[in-house]
Amino acid sequence: MKPRHLVMMSLGSAIGAGLFVGSGAGVQAAGPAVLISYVVAGLIVIFVMRALGELVAADPNPGAFSHYAGKAMGPSAAFAVGALWWIQLCLVVAAEATASAQILAGVFPVVPQWVIALAIMVVFTAINLTPARSFGEFEFWFSLLKVAFVALFVILGIAYLLGWTPAEPPAQIFADGFMPTGVSGVAAGLLVVAFAFGGIEIVAVAAAETADPSHSVTTAIKTIVWRILGLYIGSVAIIVLVLDWTDPRLADSPFVAVLDTAGLPVVAALLGAVIVIALLSSMNANIYGASRMSFSMSQRRMLPAAFGRASRRGVPIASVLATSAFGFVAVALNYFWAEEVLGLLLNIVGSTLIVTWVVTLVSHIILRHRAEAAGQELPLKMWLFPWLSYAALAGIATILILGLTVESVRFQIVGTLIFVAALYLVGLVVTKRSRAAKA
C-alpha cells in the first residue's frame, strides 16, 4: 500500500459507528457536556497515537502494540493485548454490520435486518480476501467520500445556525444547561466517546504493508489525528447546538436528525446513504486490522499456525475468515434480537480500547528509555517525553475513576479488567508451551 492508502484507512476505520451512531448515545448520556468528553478523549488519543507512531516508525510490525508490549513487558502481555484488540475489533465489525443493516432495513422494510447483515458480511469478507494494494485502493475512495460528507455536514450545520437554510435556527440553546447530568454523565459518555475514536490505531498495523513503513507512518501520524479530532468535535458540536439532548432521534441517527431539523430533507436522505457507506468502510478496515493482528500473533506462536499462513497474493485467508466469523454470529443475533444487538456491542467495546491505550503508553515509556540508553536515533519522537506520556496515563486513570462512579460503566470496567487478567493467564500458558516447543 501507499501512504495515502494508510492515511485514508485510518480515517476510514475511525469514522464509523462510533461517530454516526455512538455520538447520539454520548449526547444522551452527558448532554452538551459530551463535548468535554470528546476533548478529553481526543487529547489522550493524540498523545497515544504520537507515542505509537514513535514505536512504529522505529520498528514496523503488523502486531503493532502487541509486538511492542512483548518487547517491553514480555510475551504474556503481548498475547493479552493482541487477543483483546483482535476480539475488540471483531465486535466492532459486528456492531458496524448491525448498524448498517439497521439503517438499510429502515429504507427497505420488506427485507429482514438479518438478511441485510448477512449480505454485508459476505461481500466485505470477499473484499478482504483480495491483495493489500487492491484493498487499500478500495478503502481510499470509500473513506474519501465519507470524510467529504462529514465536512459538508459541519458546513451545513453552521449555515443552519446562522439562519442560511430553509428552517428557522433554534431559539434557545442548552435549555437544561451545559451539564444536565453532571460529572457522572460526562464520565458515562467517556466510554462511548472512547469507542468513537477507536480504529485510528489501525495505522500501526497497516504500516507494515506499505512500501516505506517508517516514512509512511510518520506522515500518517502527523496528519490523521488532527483531522479526525477536527471532524469529530466539529460534527458533535453541531449536534449539541441543533438538537436538544433529550431528543429521541439521537438514538437512531443524530446526523440525519440535524439535517431534517435544518430543513434539508433531501440532503438528510443522501447523508443516510453516506452513513451506510461510512459504516461499511470502517467495518472493511477493521476486518483488515483484526486479521493482520491474528496473523502476527500466529507468526509469534501465540495462535494456531493456520492463522499465520498467507496466500500467494499475501492474504492471510484463515485470519480474515476467523475475524469475519464474529460478524456472522452477529447476523444470528440480529435474527433474534435486532433492536438490542447494537447497544450491547457498543457498550462492550469502549473499555477495551482504554486497555489498549494504557499498554501502548507503558510500552512506549519503557522502550523509549531503552532506546535512549542504547543511543538509538528515532525517526519520530513523542513530544515532551516523558511528561505527555505520563499526562495521558493520568487522563486515562481519571476516566477510569470517574467511570467507577457510574454503575453501568463500573460493570464494563471491572468486567474488562477481569477479562484482561484472564487473557494474561492464558498468555502465560500459551507462550510457555510455545517456548517449550521451540526449544
Side-chain angles (χ1 to χ4, degrees):
M1 289 188 286
K2 298 177 181 178
R4 65 183 177 87
H5 295 147
L6 190 63
V7 171
M8 275 300 168
M9 184 184 298
S10 300
L11 289 170
S13 181
I15 300 177
L19 178 61
F20 289 114
V21 182
S23 58
V27 174
Q28 289 179 319
V34 75
L35 287 170
I36 297 174
S37 301
Y38 273 95
V39 170
V40 171
L43 287 173
I44 292 172
V45 167
I46 286 173
F47 298 153
V48 170
M49 288 305 299
R50 184 73 182 195
L52 182 57
E54 178 183 302
L55 295 170
V56 177
D59 180 17
N61 187 284
F65 25 83
S66 170
H67 171 69
Y68 308 128
K71 290 176 66 177
M73 294 176 281
S76 299
F79 177 88
V81 71
L84 182 71
W85 192 74
W86 180 64
I87 292 168
Q88 165 200 307
L89 277 204
C90 289
L91 290 171
V92 172
V93 167
E96 285 165 338
T98 298
S100 303
Q102 196 174 76
I103 295 171
L104 290 172
V107 178
F108 307 105
V110 294
V111 183
Q113 184 172 313
W114 72 269
V115 173
I116 297 173
L118 178 61
I120 288 169
M121 286 306 308
V122 170
V123 169
F124 283 88
T125 299
I127 290 171
N128 272 272
L129 293 174
T130 62
R133 182 163 184 171
S134 300
F135 166 84
E137 195 65 31
F138 177 87
E139 187 60 27
F140 174 83
W141 293 106
F142 235 11
S143 298
L144 184 62
L145 177 64
K146 66 182 178 181
V147 168
F149 268 87
V150 172
L152 177 63
F153 170 80
V154 174
I155 293 169
L156 292 175
I158 293 172
Y160 167 62
L161 292 170
L162 294 175
W164 297 346
T165 65
E168 287 293 322
Q172 186 177 16
I173 296 173
F174 305 159
D176 297 325
F178 182 70
M179 197 180 290
T181 58
V183 175
S184 63
V186 176
L190 274 168
L191 288 183
V192 177
V193 170
F195 169 72
F197 282 108
I200 188 174
E201 68 278 1
I202 272 184
V203 65
V205 175
E209 290 193 73
T210 57
D212 184 353
S214 181
H215 172 72
S216 297
V217 79
T218 299
T219 302
I221 291 295
K222 287 179 177 178
T223 58
I224 58 175
V225 289
W226 299 107
R227 292 176 187 177
I228 287 181
L229 192 57
L231 290 170
Y232 265 82
I233 293 181
S235 55
V236 174
I238 294 297
I239 292 170
V240 299
L241 288 169
V242 171
L243 302 177
D244 187 84
W245 72 282
T246 60
D247 193 316
R249 294 177 296 172
L250 285 167
D252 298 320
S253 181
F255 280 68
V256 173
V258 165
L259 293 171
D260 280 335
T261 303
L264 301 167
V266 175
V267 182
L270 181 61
L271 186 62
V274 174
I275 289 173
V276 173
I277 291 173
L279 292 170
L280 295 177
S281 168
S282 178
M283 186 186 80
N284 195 37
N286 287 327
I287 293 175
Y288 170 88
S291 65
R292 267 49 179 187
M293 177 60 75
S294 57
F295 173 79
S296 170
M297 291 178 69
S298 176
Q299 293 276 301
R300 288 175 281 150
R301 299 174 179 268
M302 295 178 182
L303 288 177
F307 290 159
R309 299 192 189 106
S311 69
R312 288 180 297 177
R313 298 183 297 174
V315 179
I317 294 174
S319 288
V320 170
L321 295 177
T323 297
S324 297
F326 277 76
F328 285 103
V329 170
V331 169
L333 296 177
N334 270 280
Y335 179 79
F336 294 105
W337 303 290
E339 296 299 321
E340 293 82 8
V341 172
L342 183 60
L344 175 64
L345 292 171
L346 287 172
N347 285 335
I348 290 172
V349 171
S351 52
T352 63
L353 276 166
I354 290 178
V355 175
T356 304
W357 293 352
V358 169
V359 170
T360 297
L361 288 166
V362 172
S363 300
H364 164 254
I365 291 168
I366 293 171
L367 295 177
R368 173 67 175 270
H369 281 307
R370 288 183 190 171
E372 289 181 345
Q376 180 183 350
E377 188 63 33
L378 299 171
L380 180 70
K381 290 185 177 181
M382 175 65 170
W383 307 296
L384 299 177
F385 178 82
W387 306 114
L388 283 186
S389 299
Y390 288 131
L393 285 172
I396 294 171
T398 302
I399 291 175
L400 292 174
I401 291 168
L402 290 173
L404 290 172
T405 65
V406 182
E407 186 176 355
S408 60
V409 178
R410 181 167 60 245
F411 175 78
Q412 290 180 56
I413 292 172
V414 173
T416 299
L417 293 177
I418 292 171
F419 186 50
V420 171
L423 287 175
Y424 185 85
L425 293 175
V426 173
L428 284 173
V429 175
V430 169
T431 54
K432 183 178 179 180
R433 286 180 179 174
S434 175
R435 286 193 299 271
K438 206 171 181 180

